[in-house]
Amino acid sequence: TSLLSINVFSATSAKAGVQKSTIVIKGGETFDGKGQKFWADKNTLGDGSQKEGQKPIFKLEKGAKLKNVVISAPAADGVHCYGDNLVENVVWEDIGEDALTVKGGGTIEIKGGSAKKGDDKCFQINSSCTFKVSNFTADTIGKLIRQNGGKTFKLAIYLDNVTVKNAKECVVRSDSSSCNVYYRNLKTSNVPKLWILKTTPKSY
Ligand code: ADA
Ligand code: CA
Ligand code: CA
Ligand code: CA
């Protein structure tokens, strides 16, 4: 028994399997899941439906890194990134409300990994940042990336060797005339539109 009721666990003590509390990874720390599976307790973090306000399984504070993790159902609100984060070889077997949300600035990099079975967004961007995705595949989603609806903050998106299959809507959607998209080696199949944007994407 603990004297304090704190709703987070330190990343160093986190065990794979069902998570009743968000795993918090501090700036400068790397959480290596070694390929193990993590999922949410539906009663505490969320059931992975389209209901807003669910909690993440992993919270990456500014400067934190997450690697070699498999996220399975229910995935609640997935991964929250507070800025300058690396997310490497993370596999979402069944996306929750969304897979990953950016909540802080700097550069956020998604390297390797994949995500599938999302009703709507894979990556939700709620803060100005540089968002880089490379060597990543998404299958059966609404859209790969959504800048928060109606927001006009500056955003730079780089897609390098990304595959999107079976999207209901598009690869990237933004309402911001300061959102710029750069892409190379982008492969899509059964995706109705590549972009819903105010700017013209450029290959790089
Ligand atoms: C929706 C909602 C936003 C925010 C976002 C998210 O776009 O309108 O307020 O909650 O989802 O971060 O999941
Ligand atoms: Ca949402
Ligand atoms: Ca899902
Ligand atoms: Ca969300």
Side-chain angles (χ1 to χ4, degrees):
T1 34
S2 164
L3 292 171
L4 291 170
S5 173
I6 297 171
N7 198 28
V8 291
F9 286 157
S10 118
T12 45
S13 65
K15 300 280 180 290
V18 65
Q19 305 299 318
K20 289 190 176 173
S21 309
T22 297
I23 297 167
V24 178
I25 307 161
K26 293 193 176 304
E29 288 184 358
T30 300
F31 183 87
D32 184 345
K34 298 173 176 147
Q36 298 175 99
K37 229 173 247 203
F38 295 76
W39 62 92
D41 175 73
K42 67 174 175 10
N43 297 313
T44 54
L45 298 184
D47 62 4
S49 69
Q50 285 301 285
K51 192 168 151 254
E52 295 296 339
Q54 297 179 54
K55 294 182 178 122
I57 299 176
F58 292 98
K59 173 181 177 178
L60 278 61
E61 291 185 346
K62 198 167 182 74
K65 299 177 186 178
L66 177 66
K67 61 194 248 188
N68 304 325
V69 158
V70 178
I71 295 174
S72 61
D77 212 44
V79 177
H80 287 183
C81 290
Y82 282 76
D84 294 326
N85 304 114
L86 174 63
V87 173
E88 192 169 11
N89 191 30
V90 171
V91 171
W92 285 262
E93 289 188 333
D94 189 334
I95 296 166
E97 199 279 314
D98 48 42
L100 178 146
T101 309
V102 176
K103 290 176 169 268
T107 299
I108 290 88
E109 291 193 72
I110 314 296
K111 286 190 178 173
S114 61
K116 61 183 183 183
K117 297 191 203 167
D119 288 329
D120 189 7
K121 296 93 170 250
C122 182
F123 302 127
Q124 167 82 31
I125 314 290
N126 294 352
S127 169
S128 180
C129 68
T130 298
F131 189 69
K132 297 183 171 181
V133 185
S134 60
N135 305 321
F136 190 84
T137 299
D139 191 350
T140 314
I141 55 170
K143 43 217 170 253
L144 182 72
I145 299 175
R146 175 59 157 130
Q147 177 169 2
N148 206 359
K151 303 294 186 209
T152 56
F153 57 77
K154 194 172 152 101
L155 177 60
I157 294 171
Y158 292 83
L159 304 176
D160 181 5
N161 191 32
V162 168
T163 301
V164 181
K165 300 177 200 171
N166 306 310
K168 282 188 264 195
E169 195 173 75
C170 63
V171 177
V172 183
R173 180 168 176 180
S174 168
D175 306 322
S176 171
S177 46
S178 325
C179 170
N180 292 296
V181 177
Y182 306 90
Y183 66 97
R184 59 188 175 210
N185 201 10
L186 174 66
K187 287 153 281 188
T188 61
S189 72
N190 192 25
V191 176
K193 280 183 169 185
L194 289 182
W195 323 111
I196 302 178
L197 291 170
K198 303 288 185 206
T199 57
T200 304
K202 296 178 184 65
S203 63
Y204 76 108

